[in-house]
Amino acid sequence: MAESLQQQLVDSTCKENDENMECAVCLQRCIHPAQLPCGHIFCFLCVKGFANQNKKCAMCRQEIPKDFIDQPNLLEFSIPLENSEGVENDFQWFYEGRNGWWQYDERASEEIEEAFKLGIPSFELIICGELYVIDFKHKFQYPKRNSSRKRSIKRDKINNVVVKGVAGLR
Ligand SMILES: [Zn+2]
Ligand SMILES: [Zn+2]
């Protein structure tokens, strides 16, 4: 009896966490949440950011397996992009990768769209822990500290673009 009550409590706590799951790195709702072997959950892009730096969990310092970024343990409860309402008619933002167009993650795409609608020529955005310049005028992005690494960007409807994936996820 006591045990099942405890189980219930655990279940409801987990559910609550799923809905408001906050990433301890960017302090926003997790986008493409990924769970590390230690159990901590972050946005996939945030994991990618700190995994590249010191290969350790940002919360508990447990080592991140080498293949985690290639085979992340992604949790399924984030709303997939294609299921969100009216997204087919919304403009999305894409950047050019090695072999095609990639879609920015939802949050980046929204921020870029907002800035674009303001009509400003360029703005700065943190992607994967690095500051990028999004240049609307010339239609490319580059890391602020290395303007030679330019990539083309474009704004289009999702149905018009053959996308390789979202933010490095296939
Ligand atoms: Zn995050
Ligand atoms: Zn951890």
Side-chain angles (χ1 to χ4, degrees), residues 1-34:
M1 188 69 185
E3 205 175 316
S4 78
L5 185 64
Q6 200 175 14
Q7 190 54 45
Q8 262 175 13
L9 282 174
V10 170
D11 285 349
S12 70
T13 315
C14 287
K15 257 181 213 142
E16 213 169 309
N17 283 349
D18 288 358
E19 279 161 25
N20 315 300
M21 200 163 48
E22 194 179 79
C23 168
V25 174
C26 62
L27 303 178
Q28 298 187 65
R29 193 176 62 82
C30 277
I31 303 265
H32 302 300

PDB file of all heavy atoms in Angstrom, residues 1-34:
ATOM      1  N   MET A   1       0.836  -1.215   0.000  1.00  0.00           N
ATOM      2  CA  MET A   1       0.000   0.000   0.000  1.00  0.00           C
ATOM      3  C   MET A   1       0.863   1.254   0.000  1.00  0.00           C
ATOM      4  O   MET A   1       0.781   2.091  -0.890  1.00  0.00           O
ATOM      5  CB  MET A   1      -0.922  -0.040   1.235  1.00  0.00           C
ATOM      6  CG  MET A   1      -1.969   1.070   1.233  1.00  0.00           C
ATOM      7  SD  MET A   1      -3.225   0.837  -0.060  1.00  0.00           S
ATOM      8  CE  MET A   1      -4.142   2.327   0.118  1.00  0.00           C
ATOM      9  N   ALA A   2       1.716   1.302   1.011  1.00  0.00           N
ATOM     10  CA  ALA A   2       2.612   2.458   1.093  1.00  0.00           C
ATOM     11  C   ALA A   2       3.490   2.539  -0.157  1.00  0.00           C
ATOM     12  O   ALA A   2       3.782   3.618  -0.665  1.00  0.00           O
ATOM     13  CB  ALA A   2       3.474   2.359   2.345  1.00  0.00           C
ATOM     14  N   GLU A   3       3.846   1.370  -0.615  1.00  0.00           N
ATOM     15  CA  GLU A   3       4.744   1.315  -1.766  1.00  0.00           C
ATOM     16  C   GLU A   3       4.070   1.886  -3.027  1.00  0.00           C
ATOM     17  O   GLU A   3       4.651   2.640  -3.786  1.00  0.00           O
ATOM     18  CB  GLU A   3       5.169  -0.123  -2.019  1.00  0.00           C
ATOM     19  CG  GLU A   3       6.486  -0.242  -2.749  1.00  0.00           C
ATOM     20  CD  GLU A   3       6.885  -1.697  -2.859  1.00  0.00           C
ATOM     21  OE1 GLU A   3       6.767  -2.430  -1.862  1.00  0.00           O
ATOM     22  OE2 GLU A   3       7.278  -2.086  -3.957  1.00  0.00           O
ATOM     23  N   SER A   4       2.788   1.503  -3.209  1.00  0.00           N
ATOM     24  CA  SER A   4       2.110   1.964  -4.435  1.00  0.00           C
ATOM     25  C   SER A   4       1.848   3.472  -4.377  1.00  0.00           C
ATOM     26  O   SER A   4       1.862   4.158  -5.386  1.00  0.00           O
ATOM     27  CB  SER A   4       0.814   1.187  -4.651  1.00  0.00           C
ATOM     28  OG  SER A   4      -0.189   1.681  -3.797  1.00  0.00           O
ATOM     29  N   LEU A   5       1.623   3.980  -3.160  1.00  0.00           N
ATOM     30  CA  LEU A   5       1.432   5.422  -3.026  1.00  0.00           C
ATOM     31  C   LEU A   5       2.720   6.143  -3.425  1.00  0.00           C
ATOM     32  O   LEU A   5       2.697   7.138  -4.153  1.00  0.00           O
ATOM     33  CB  LEU A   5       1.058   5.766  -1.568  1.00  0.00           C
ATOM     34  CG  LEU A   5       0.724   7.232  -1.328  1.00  0.00           C
ATOM     35  CD1 LEU A   5      -0.528   7.638  -2.110  1.00  0.00           C
ATOM     36  CD2 LEU A   5       0.516   7.505   0.159  1.00  0.00           C
ATOM     37  N   GLN A   6       3.807   5.579  -2.970  1.00  0.00           N
ATOM     38  CA  GLN A   6       5.100   6.178  -3.301  1.00  0.00           C
ATOM     39  C   GLN A   6       5.311   6.160  -4.818  1.00  0.00           C
ATOM     40  O   GLN A   6       5.739   7.133  -5.417  1.00  0.00           O
ATOM     41  CB  GLN A   6       6.206   5.381  -2.612  1.00  0.00           C
ATOM     42  CG  GLN A   6       7.478   6.167  -2.488  1.00  0.00           C
ATOM     43  CD  GLN A   6       8.518   5.402  -1.700  1.00  0.00           C
ATOM     44  OE1 GLN A   6       8.384   4.204  -1.474  1.00  0.00           O
ATOM     45  NE2 GLN A   6       9.552   6.080  -1.284  1.00  0.00           N
ATOM     46  N   GLN A   7       4.929   5.023  -5.406  1.00  0.00           N
ATOM     47  CA  GLN A   7       5.074   4.883  -6.849  1.00  0.00           C
ATOM     48  C   GLN A   7       4.253   5.956  -7.574  1.00  0.00           C
ATOM     49  O   GLN A   7       4.718   6.576  -8.512  1.00  0.00           O
ATOM     50  CB  GLN A   7       4.634   3.478  -7.280  1.00  0.00           C
ATOM     51  CG  GLN A   7       4.973   3.146  -8.722  1.00  0.00           C
ATOM     52  CD  GLN A   7       6.460   3.345  -9.025  1.00  0.00           C
ATOM     53  OE1 GLN A   7       7.321   2.950  -8.263  1.00  0.00           O
ATOM     54  NE2 GLN A   7       6.757   3.998 -10.132  1.00  0.00           N
ATOM     55  N   GLN A   8       3.042   6.178  -7.060  1.00  0.00           N
ATOM     56  CA  GLN A   8       2.180   7.196  -7.657  1.00  0.00           C
ATOM     57  C   GLN A   8       2.818   8.575  -7.602  1.00  0.00           C
ATOM     58  O   GLN A   8       2.794   9.328  -8.549  1.00  0.00           O
ATOM     59  CB  GLN A   8       0.844   7.259  -6.912  1.00  0.00           C
ATOM     60  CG  GLN A   8      -0.253   6.470  -7.591  1.00  0.00           C
ATOM     61  CD  GLN A   8      -1.526   6.467  -6.764  1.00  0.00           C
ATOM     62  OE1 GLN A   8      -1.643   7.244  -5.828  1.00  0.00           O
ATOM     63  NE2 GLN A   8      -2.448   5.605  -7.100  1.00  0.00           N
ATOM     64  N   LEU A   9       3.389   8.848  -6.430  1.00  0.00           N
ATOM     65  CA  LEU A   9       4.041  10.145  -6.257  1.00  0.00           C
ATOM     66  C   LEU A   9       5.173  10.311  -7.262  1.00  0.00           C
ATOM     67  O   LEU A   9       5.317  11.344  -7.886  1.00  0.00           O
ATOM     68  CB  LEU A   9       4.598  10.278  -4.827  1.00  0.00           C
ATOM     69  CG  LEU A   9       3.557  10.613  -3.753  1.00  0.00           C
ATOM     70  CD1 LEU A   9       4.190  10.572  -2.389  1.00  0.00           C
ATOM     71  CD2 LEU A   9       2.953  11.985  -4.015  1.00  0.00           C
ATOM     72  N   VAL A  10       5.951   9.249  -7.385  1.00  0.00           N
ATOM     73  CA  VAL A  10       7.071   9.294  -8.321  1.00  0.00           C
ATOM     74  C   VAL A  10       6.562   9.553  -9.738  1.00  0.00           C
ATOM     75  O   VAL A  10       7.061  10.401 -10.456  1.00  0.00           O
ATOM     76  CB  VAL A  10       7.889   7.974  -8.272  1.00  0.00           C
ATOM     77  CG1 VAL A  10       8.897   7.928  -9.405  1.00  0.00           C
ATOM     78  CG2 VAL A  10       8.595   7.861  -6.935  1.00  0.00           C
ATOM     79  N   ASP A  11       5.482   8.816 -10.095  1.00  0.00           N
ATOM     80  CA  ASP A  11       4.932   8.979 -11.436  1.00  0.00           C
ATOM     81  C   ASP A  11       4.484  10.407 -11.706  1.00  0.00           C
ATOM     82  O   ASP A  11       4.773  10.974 -12.744  1.00  0.00           O
ATOM     83  CB  ASP A  11       3.741   8.033 -11.642  1.00  0.00           C
ATOM     84  CG  ASP A  11       4.210   6.597 -11.839  1.00  0.00           C
ATOM     85  OD1 ASP A  11       5.430   6.423 -12.012  1.00  0.00           O
ATOM     86  OD2 ASP A  11       3.384   5.688 -11.809  1.00  0.00           O
ATOM     87  N   SER A  12       3.763  10.985 -10.727  1.00  0.00           N
ATOM     88  CA  SER A  12       3.239  12.326 -11.002  1.00  0.00           C
ATOM     89  C   SER A  12       4.376  13.345 -11.046  1.00  0.00           C
ATOM     90  O   SER A  12       4.335  14.296 -11.808  1.00  0.00           O
ATOM     91  CB  SER A  12       2.174  12.712  -9.983  1.00  0.00           C
ATOM     92  OG  SER A  12       2.763  12.936  -8.730  1.00  0.00           O
ATOM     93  N   THR A  13       5.401  13.130 -10.237  1.00  0.00           N
ATOM     94  CA  THR A  13       6.544  14.045 -10.276  1.00  0.00           C
ATOM     95  C   THR A  13       7.207  13.989 -11.648  1.00  0.00           C
ATOM     96  O   THR A  13       7.559  15.018 -12.222  1.00  0.00           O
ATOM     97  CB  THR A  13       7.586  13.674  -9.206  1.00  0.00           C
ATOM     98  OG1 THR A  13       6.904  13.409  -8.007  1.00  0.00           O
ATOM     99  CG2 THR A  13       8.571  14.801  -8.990  1.00  0.00           C
ATOM    100  N   CYS A  14       7.340  12.772 -12.161  1.00  0.00           N
ATOM    101  CA  CYS A  14       7.993  12.623 -13.460  1.00  0.00           C
ATOM    102  C   CYS A  14       7.196  13.335 -14.551  1.00  0.00           C
ATOM    103  O   CYS A  14       7.759  14.018 -15.389  1.00  0.00           O
ATOM    104  CB  CYS A  14       8.132  11.152 -13.840  1.00  0.00           C
ATOM    105  SG  CYS A  14       9.390  10.326 -12.864  1.00  0.00           S
ATOM    106  N   LYS A  15       5.868  13.158 -14.478  1.00  0.00           N
ATOM    107  CA  LYS A  15       5.038  13.786 -15.498  1.00  0.00           C
ATOM    108  C   LYS A  15       5.207  15.302 -15.491  1.00  0.00           C
ATOM    109  O   LYS A  15       5.334  15.937 -16.514  1.00  0.00           O
ATOM    110  CB  LYS A  15       3.568  13.420 -15.280  1.00  0.00           C
ATOM    111  CG  LYS A  15       3.104  12.363 -16.266  1.00  0.00           C
ATOM    112  CD  LYS A  15       1.655  12.023 -16.053  1.00  0.00           C
ATOM    113  CE  LYS A  15       1.409  10.555 -16.368  1.00  0.00           C
ATOM    114  NZ  LYS A  15       0.457   9.938 -15.470  1.00  0.00           N
ATOM    115  N   GLU A  16       5.194  15.823 -14.277  1.00  0.00           N
ATOM    116  CA  GLU A  16       5.340  17.263 -14.150  1.00  0.00           C
ATOM    117  C   GLU A  16       6.669  17.714 -14.762  1.00  0.00           C
ATOM    118  O   GLU A  16       6.732  18.684 -15.482  1.00  0.00           O
ATOM    119  CB  GLU A  16       5.292  17.635 -12.672  1.00  0.00           C
ATOM    120  CG  GLU A  16       4.657  18.982 -12.431  1.00  0.00           C
ATOM    121  CD  GLU A  16       4.389  19.158 -10.952  1.00  0.00           C
ATOM    122  OE1 GLU A  16       3.779  18.243 -10.364  1.00  0.00           O
ATOM    123  OE2 GLU A  16       4.811  20.149 -10.414  1.00  0.00           O
ATOM    124  N   ASN A  17       7.678  16.938 -14.450  1.00  0.00           N
ATOM    125  CA  ASN A  17       9.000  17.278 -14.977  1.00  0.00           C
ATOM    126  C   ASN A  17       9.019  17.259 -16.506  1.00  0.00           C
ATOM    127  O   ASN A  17       9.654  18.089 -17.132  1.00  0.00           O
ATOM    128  CB  ASN A  17      10.054  16.295 -14.460  1.00  0.00           C
ATOM    129  CG  ASN A  17      10.415  16.625 -13.021  1.00  0.00           C
ATOM    130  OD1 ASN A  17      10.033  17.684 -12.519  1.00  0.00           O
ATOM    131  ND2 ASN A  17      11.123  15.728 -12.383  1.00  0.00           N
ATOM    132  N   ASP A  18       8.318  16.285 -17.074  1.00  0.00           N
ATOM    133  CA  ASP A  18       8.329  16.173 -18.527  1.00  0.00           C
ATOM    134  C   ASP A  18       7.782  17.438 -19.174  1.00  0.00           C
ATOM    135  O   ASP A  18       8.282  17.907 -20.172  1.00  0.00           O
ATOM    136  CB  ASP A  18       7.452  14.988 -18.972  1.00  0.00           C
ATOM    137  CG  ASP A  18       8.122  13.671 -18.648  1.00  0.00           C
ATOM    138  OD1 ASP A  18       9.250  13.715 -18.120  1.00  0.00           O
ATOM    139  OD2 ASP A  18       7.529  12.627 -18.920  1.00  0.00           O
ATOM    140  N   GLU A  19       6.711  17.965 -18.561  1.00  0.00           N
ATOM    141  CA  GLU A  19       6.073  19.114 -19.186  1.00  0.00           C
ATOM    142  C   GLU A  19       6.894  20.394 -19.048  1.00  0.00           C
ATOM    143  O   GLU A  19       6.993  21.176 -19.966  1.00  0.00           O
ATOM    144  CB  GLU A  19       4.670  19.330 -18.603  1.00  0.00           C
ATOM    145  CG  GLU A  19       3.665  18.396 -19.261  1.00  0.00           C
ATOM    146  CD  GLU A  19       2.416  18.259 -18.424  1.00  0.00           C
ATOM    147  OE1 GLU A  19       2.123  19.181 -17.653  1.00  0.00           O
ATOM    148  OE2 GLU A  19       1.749  17.210 -18.544  1.00  0.00           O
ATOM    149  N   ASN A  20       7.448  20.588 -17.848  1.00  0.00           N
ATOM    150  CA  ASN A  20       8.164  21.846 -17.648  1.00  0.00           C
ATOM    151  C   ASN A  20       9.670  21.617 -17.643  1.00  0.00           C
ATOM    152  O   ASN A  20      10.384  22.283 -16.926  1.00  0.00           O
ATOM    153  CB  ASN A  20       7.798  22.465 -16.298  1.00  0.00           C
ATOM    154  CG  ASN A  20       6.309  22.422 -16.076  1.00  0.00           C
ATOM    155  OD1 ASN A  20       5.576  22.990 -16.848  1.00  0.00           O
ATOM    156  ND2 ASN A  20       5.895  21.748 -15.037  1.00  0.00           N
ATOM    157  N   MET A  21      10.117  20.632 -18.332  1.00  0.00           N
ATOM    158  CA  MET A  21      11.505  20.278 -18.168  1.00  0.00           C
ATOM    159  C   MET A  21      12.435  21.413 -18.590  1.00  0.00           C
ATOM    160  O   MET A  21      12.433  21.845 -19.735  1.00  0.00           O
ATOM    161  CB  MET A  21      11.843  19.026 -18.926  1.00  0.00           C
ATOM    162  CG  MET A  21      13.092  18.436 -18.361  1.00  0.00           C
ATOM    163  SD  MET A  21      13.280  16.767 -18.845  1.00  0.00           S
ATOM    164  CE  MET A  21      12.949  16.989 -20.547  1.00  0.00           C
ATOM    165  N   GLU A  22      13.185  21.846 -17.629  1.00  0.00           N
ATOM    166  CA  GLU A  22      14.064  22.971 -17.884  1.00  0.00           C
ATOM    167  C   GLU A  22      15.492  22.455 -18.018  1.00  0.00           C
ATOM    168  O   GLU A  22      15.935  21.613 -17.254  1.00  0.00           O
ATOM    169  CB  GLU A  22      13.964  23.950 -16.715  1.00  0.00           C
ATOM    170  CG  GLU A  22      14.558  25.293 -17.036  1.00  0.00           C
ATOM    171  CD  GLU A  22      14.422  26.236 -15.853  1.00  0.00           C
ATOM    172  OE1 GLU A  22      15.219  26.117 -14.913  1.00  0.00           O
ATOM    173  OE2 GLU A  22      13.511  27.073 -15.875  1.00  0.00           O
ATOM    174  N   CYS A  23      16.165  22.976 -18.992  1.00  0.00           N
ATOM    175  CA  CYS A  23      17.555  22.592 -19.201  1.00  0.00           C
ATOM    176  C   CYS A  23      18.428  23.439 -18.287  1.00  0.00           C
ATOM    177  O   CYS A  23      18.293  24.662 -18.236  1.00  0.00           O
ATOM    178  CB  CYS A  23      17.904  22.838 -20.660  1.00  0.00           C
ATOM    179  SG  CYS A  23      19.647  22.756 -21.015  1.00  0.00           S
ATOM    180  N   ALA A  24      19.316  22.795 -17.538  1.00  0.00           N
ATOM    181  CA  ALA A  24      20.133  23.511 -16.558  1.00  0.00           C
ATOM    182  C   ALA A  24      21.215  24.355 -17.227  1.00  0.00           C
ATOM    183  O   ALA A  24      21.869  25.170 -16.576  1.00  0.00           O
ATOM    184  CB  ALA A  24      20.774  22.516 -15.595  1.00  0.00           C
ATOM    185  N   VAL A  25      21.409  24.164 -18.521  1.00  0.00           N
ATOM    186  CA  VAL A  25      22.440  24.940 -19.212  1.00  0.00           C
ATOM    187  C   VAL A  25      21.858  26.242 -19.768  1.00  0.00           C
ATOM    188  O   VAL A  25      22.339  27.330 -19.472  1.00  0.00           O
ATOM    189  CB  VAL A  25      23.081  24.110 -20.347  1.00  0.00           C
ATOM    190  CG1 VAL A  25      24.035  24.959 -21.164  1.00  0.00           C
ATOM    191  CG2 VAL A  25      23.827  22.920 -19.745  1.00  0.00           C
ATOM    192  N   CYS A  26      20.773  26.137 -20.529  1.00  0.00           N
ATOM    193  CA  CYS A  26      20.227  27.348 -21.157  1.00  0.00           C
ATOM    194  C   CYS A  26      19.051  27.905 -20.355  1.00  0.00           C
ATOM    195  O   CYS A  26      18.540  28.969 -20.676  1.00  0.00           O
ATOM    196  CB  CYS A  26      19.815  27.065 -22.593  1.00  0.00           C
ATOM    197  SG  CYS A  26      18.509  25.835 -22.719  1.00  0.00           S
ATOM    198  N   LEU A  27      18.618  27.158 -19.302  1.00  0.00           N
ATOM    199  CA  LEU A  27      17.529  27.591 -18.421  1.00  0.00           C
ATOM    200  C   LEU A  27      16.223  27.826 -19.169  1.00  0.00           C
ATOM    201  O   LEU A  27      15.396  28.628 -18.776  1.00  0.00           O
ATOM    202  CB  LEU A  27      17.933  28.844 -17.633  1.00  0.00           C
ATOM    203  CG  LEU A  27      19.194  28.681 -16.794  1.00  0.00           C
ATOM    204  CD1 LEU A  27      19.540  29.988 -16.096  1.00  0.00           C
ATOM    205  CD2 LEU A  27      19.047  27.554 -15.774  1.00  0.00           C
ATOM    206  N   GLN A  28      16.040  27.107 -20.259  1.00  0.00           N
ATOM    207  CA  GLN A  28      14.773  27.170 -20.976  1.00  0.00           C
ATOM    208  C   GLN A  28      14.242  25.746 -21.127  1.00  0.00           C
ATOM    209  O   GLN A  28      14.926  24.790 -20.795  1.00  0.00           O
ATOM    210  CB  GLN A  28      14.981  27.818 -22.341  1.00  0.00           C
ATOM    211  CG  GLN A  28      15.468  29.253 -22.201  1.00  0.00           C
ATOM    212  CD  GLN A  28      15.515  29.955 -23.525  1.00  0.00           C
ATOM    213  OE1 GLN A  28      14.505  30.179 -24.156  1.00  0.00           O
ATOM    214  NE2 GLN A  28      16.716  30.329 -23.949  1.00  0.00           N
ATOM    215  N   ARG A  29      13.026  25.648 -21.636  1.00  0.00           N
ATOM    216  CA  ARG A  29      12.467  24.317 -21.840  1.00  0.00           C
ATOM    217  C   ARG A  29      13.370  23.527 -22.780  1.00  0.00           C
ATOM    218  O   ARG A  29      13.848  24.047 -23.773  1.00  0.00           O
ATOM    219  CB  ARG A  29      11.067  24.437 -22.446  1.00  0.00           C
ATOM    220  CG  ARG A  29      10.264  23.151 -22.415  1.00  0.00           C
ATOM    221  CD  ARG A  29       8.859  23.406 -22.944  1.00  0.00           C
ATOM    222  NE  ARG A  29       8.896  23.845 -24.340  1.00  0.00           N
ATOM    223  CZ  ARG A  29       9.005  23.008 -25.369  1.00  0.00           C
ATOM    224  NH1 ARG A  29       9.105  21.715 -25.168  1.00  0.00           N
ATOM    225  NH2 ARG A  29       9.022  23.476 -26.601  1.00  0.00           N
ATOM    226  N   CYS A  30      13.613  22.255 -22.434  1.00  0.00           N
ATOM    227  CA  CYS A  30      14.527  21.451 -23.239  1.00  0.00           C
ATOM    228  C   CYS A  30      14.025  21.303 -24.669  1.00  0.00           C
ATOM    229  O   CYS A  30      12.870  20.965 -24.890  1.00  0.00           O
ATOM    230  CB  CYS A  30      14.691  20.063 -22.641  1.00  0.00           C
ATOM    231  SG  CYS A  30      15.892  20.025 -21.334  1.00  0.00           S
ATOM    232  N   ILE A  31      14.899  21.548 -25.601  1.00  0.00           N
ATOM    233  CA  ILE A  31      14.603  21.313 -27.007  1.00  0.00           C
ATOM    234  C   ILE A  31      15.353  20.041 -27.389  1.00  0.00           C
ATOM    235  O   ILE A  31      16.552  19.948 -27.135  1.00  0.00           O
ATOM    236  CB  ILE A  31      15.113  22.481 -27.866  1.00  0.00           C
ATOM    237  CG1 ILE A  31      14.489  23.795 -27.395  1.00  0.00           C
ATOM    238  CG2 ILE A  31      14.889  22.222 -29.337  1.00  0.00           C
ATOM    239  CD1 ILE A  31      13.264  24.230 -28.114  1.00  0.00           C
ATOM    240  N   HIS A  32      14.684  19.089 -27.988  1.00  0.00           N
ATOM    241  CA  HIS A  32      15.286  17.776 -28.269  1.00  0.00           C
ATOM    242  C   HIS A  32      16.014  17.257 -27.041  1.00  0.00           C
ATOM    243  O   HIS A  32      17.231  17.054 -27.070  1.00  0.00           O
ATOM    244  CB  HIS A  32      16.270  17.852 -29.444  1.00  0.00           C
ATOM    245  CG  HIS A  32      15.645  18.351 -30.702  1.00  0.00           C
ATOM    246  ND1 HIS A  32      14.596  17.709 -31.313  1.00  0.00           N
ATOM    247  CD2 HIS A  32      15.897  19.435 -31.433  1.00  0.00           C
ATOM    248  CE1 HIS A  32      14.245  18.387 -32.382  1.00  0.00           C
ATOM    249  NE2 HIS A  32      15.008  19.443 -32.479  1.00  0.00           N
ATOM    250  N   PRO A  33      15.284  17.027 -25.928  1.00  0.00           N
ATOM    251  CA  PRO A  33      15.961  16.607 -24.704  1.00  0.00           C
ATOM    252  C   PRO A  33      16.738  15.305 -24.898  1.00  0.00           C
ATOM    253  O   PRO A  33      16.255  14.376 -25.536  1.00  0.00           O
ATOM    254  CB  PRO A  33      14.815  16.425 -23.701  1.00  0.00           C
ATOM    255  CG  PRO A  33      13.564  16.414 -24.484  1.00  0.00           C
ATOM    256  CD  PRO A  33      13.820  17.126 -25.768  1.00  0.00           C
ATOM    257  N   ALA A  34      17.939  15.286 -24.370  1.00  0.00           N
ATOM    258  CA  ALA A  34      18.789  14.102 -24.449  1.00  0.00           C
ATOM    259  C   ALA A  34      19.218  13.755 -23.035  1.00  0.00           C
ATOM    260  O   ALA A  34      19.557  14.631 -22.242  1.00  0.00           O
ATOM    261  CB  ALA A  34      20.004  14.378 -25.326  1.00  0.00           C
TER     262      ALA A  34
END
